[in-house]
Amino acid sequence: MPLEFIHLDKGSQFLGPEDRGFLINLTKARWSDNACSEAIKLLRNFTQLYYTLKCPESKAGEKASGNTDLDELEGDESYQAPSKEDKSGIQFAIREMVYPNVGFVACNLADPSDFAHFVLSKLADRKDYKKPRLPFRILPVQRICEAKAKSVEHCVKPILESTLAKDEFPYRFSLIFRGHSGGEYLSNNEAKSVVRNCVWALNPNCVQCIKYQDYAVIMDVFDPLFVVGVAKDFQKLASYNTWIIRHGVKTDLGTDSEDDISDDPTLSEEEERKRKLRIKRKRRAEKAGLAQREGEVKRSVEELEKCGERDGEGEEDEPGLNGKKTDDFGALNGEEDEDVDSDNE
């Protein structure tokens, strides 16, 4: 289908509810003007190819409908104009962020998630594409709203309706909360709970998984804003990490065994936590080559929680985009995210 565009506000310096685009995490370094240029350059390398794919019947030099007037944008310092060869009409602009290792690139695409998937797929599949010099994690942001439960519910439903709820297929999904929040704004668990309930309300056949999911719902809070996007083939494409893709993604993902750790809505919160911790203990023992004894006495909930804390399962150890913790960009694809959704395990 032809490309759809939205208005790109050239006068906005900071992130706002009308923006859509890409949350770009720069690992092992601070965000800078060089990082901005590198991120824009990477995205722009694929705009014409993406346009040709989406609009194969368009005439040469004809831009898609709904494009913002380029003449109005050229005077804005934050606006990054496309090259002369680029006939796509896709535009980018930088939004300033207060966190040291994350940037936001706004765009006029109505669906930045599809473009992000296209870019990462090309980087993974084609060796002749020049890989970016800096290690980026490119996360699509399709909606931005106030970090309140009701606002999030209203914001996320249109995205889910076009992905997880487009039919009754039992899609596999994961919930990834990258940031940190507190005070009057949504917490990690609250945000996931709202989005999870929306998924199952729209398509009760969906299954929450951690690895090899069809879609990953990515969330973050930049007080007072909540950002969300749905990423396709998230683990398959190395958690959308260009550094890992640069060194080659895995072709054999192995057998997925995460279904049993998905949330069970029939259990209480205490029973669910106990069940997940028991599964984790069993898996760790199997990895270590230790056999589980048949009649092993079950531990109390308190002991299981202590066991989880010693193994680093707490949410405070979750890697974040907000400059508080960074990823190990040398990890294999998907492995650095294994414990991101630790509360879902």
Side-chain angles (χ1 to χ4, degrees):
M1 62 181 292
L3 289 179
E4 295 184 28
F5 291 95
I6 62 171
H7 174 70
L8 181 64
D9 187 357
K10 71 181 184 68
S12 177
Q13 184 179 8
F14 299 100
L15 194 64
E18 301 302 320
D19 282 325
R20 300 184 191 182
F22 311 95
L23 192 62
I24 301 183
N25 177 218
L26 179 62
T27 62
K28 301 296 184 181
R30 295 179 65 87
W31 193 256
S32 63
D33 292 339
N34 289 336
C36 291
S37 299
E38 184 82 8
I40 292 288
K41 181 180 178 181
L42 170 63
L43 296 173
R44 194 186 294 151
N45 283 341
F46 297 92
T47 54
Q48 183 60 40
L49 186 60
Y50 184 67
Y51 173 74
T52 303
L53 175 67
K54 291 293 182 179
C55 308
E57 298 178 357
S58 297
K59 296 180 181 179
E62 180 182 350
K63 294 182 175 61
S65 61
N67 180 33
T68 305
D69 190 351
L70 291 178
D71 294 333
E72 295 180 359
L73 292 169
E74 288 178 351
D76 181 22
E77 294 181 356
S78 67
Y79 169 67
Q80 303 291 324
S83 63
K84 294 181 180 180
E85 296 78 16
D86 189 351
K87 308 299 181 181
S88 68
I90 301 174
Q91 305 153 9
F92 303 106
I94 298 296
R95 298 290 188 248
E96 292 188 13
M97 305 291 286
V98 298
Y99 301 97
N101 74 324
V102 64
F104 191 91
V105 178
C107 71
N108 64 337
L109 285 169
D111 187 6
S113 178
D114 186 63
F115 181 66
H117 182 265
F118 177 81
V119 170
L120 274 299
S121 296
K122 291 298 181 183
L123 286 175
D125 294 342
R126 296 284 298 276
K127 295 182 179 180
D128 54 341
Y129 286 112
K130 185 178 180 180
K131 305 301 188 296
R133 179 177 59 87
L134 297 174
F136 290 125
R137 189 187 295 275
I138 304 174
L139 305 177
V141 173
Q142 295 169 275
R143 293 292 189 279
I144 301 176
C145 67
E146 185 182 12
K148 302 286 186 181
K150 287 294 183 181
S151 299
V152 170
E153 181 179 347
H154 178 74
C155 170
V156 76
K157 278 187 175 181
I159 308 174
L160 299 177
E161 286 174 347
S162 62
T163 51
L164 293 167
K166 59 187 176 183
D167 51 46
E168 297 182 354
F169 187 81
Y171 294 102
R172 297 147 67 83
F173 72 97
S174 65
L175 303 176
I176 299 177
F177 189 98
R178 283 284 177 184
H180 295 72
S181 61
E184 60 179 311
Y185 302 107
L186 282 179
S187 67
N188 184 323
N189 288 335
E190 289 171 335
K192 289 183 177 181
S193 178
V194 171
V195 174
R196 183 187 302 114
N197 290 339
C198 289
V199 171
W200 282 333
L202 293 169
N203 185 353
N205 297 322
C206 289
V207 180
Q208 184 179 347
C209 299
I210 295 173
K211 291 186 177 180
Y212 321 136
Q213 69 285 114
D214 300 299
Y215 296 98
V217 184
I218 302 168
M219 300 164 275
D220 208 333
V221 171
F222 299 96
D223 298 343
L225 298 176
F226 173 85
V227 305
V228 62
V230 177
K232 183 180 179 181
D233 297 330
F234 188 66
Q235 294 292 354
K236 180 180 178 181
L237 292 175
S239 302
Y240 280 34
N241 190 318
T242 61
W243 181 267
I244 301 173
I245 287 178
R246 181 177 182 178
H247 291 81
V249 298
K250 295 177 181 178
T251 56
D252 183 13
L253 295 178
T255 303
D256 188 8
S257 60
E258 300 294 337
D259 286 335
D260 59 350
I261 213 165
S262 300
D263 286 351
D264 186 345
T266 64
L267 299 179
S268 67
E269 183 176 350
E270 182 177 321
E271 292 172 332
E272 182 70 359
R273 180 174 179 79
K274 183 176 179 180
R275 181 182 70 87
K276 291 177 180 179
L277 289 174
R278 190 161 53 245
I279 292 174
K280 279 197 160 188
R281 285 182 59 233
K282 180 179 178 182
R283 290 183 177 179
R284 291 193 185 96
E286 290 174 349
K287 285 183 179 180
L290 302 176
Q292 292 283 331
R293 290 181 295 177
E294 291 286 338
E296 185 178 17
V297 179
K298 295 182 179 179
R299 296 186 180 183
S300 64
V301 175
E302 292 78 9
E303 290 175 326
L304 287 170
E305 290 177 349
K306 290 180 181 179
C307 176
E309 291 174 359
R310 288 197 301 271
D311 291 329
E313 296 171 4
E315 290 177 7
E316 66 274 12
D317 291 330
E318 178 180 317
L321 286 181
N322 295 358
K324 299 184 179 180
K325 294 195 177 184
T326 56
D327 303 317
D328 180 3
F329 55 81
L332 294 175
N333 56 309
E335 291 182 359
E336 75 276 16
D337 290 319
E338 186 172 357
D339 291 328
V340 166
D341 289 331
S342 57
D343 61 319
N344 285 339
E345 296 187 64

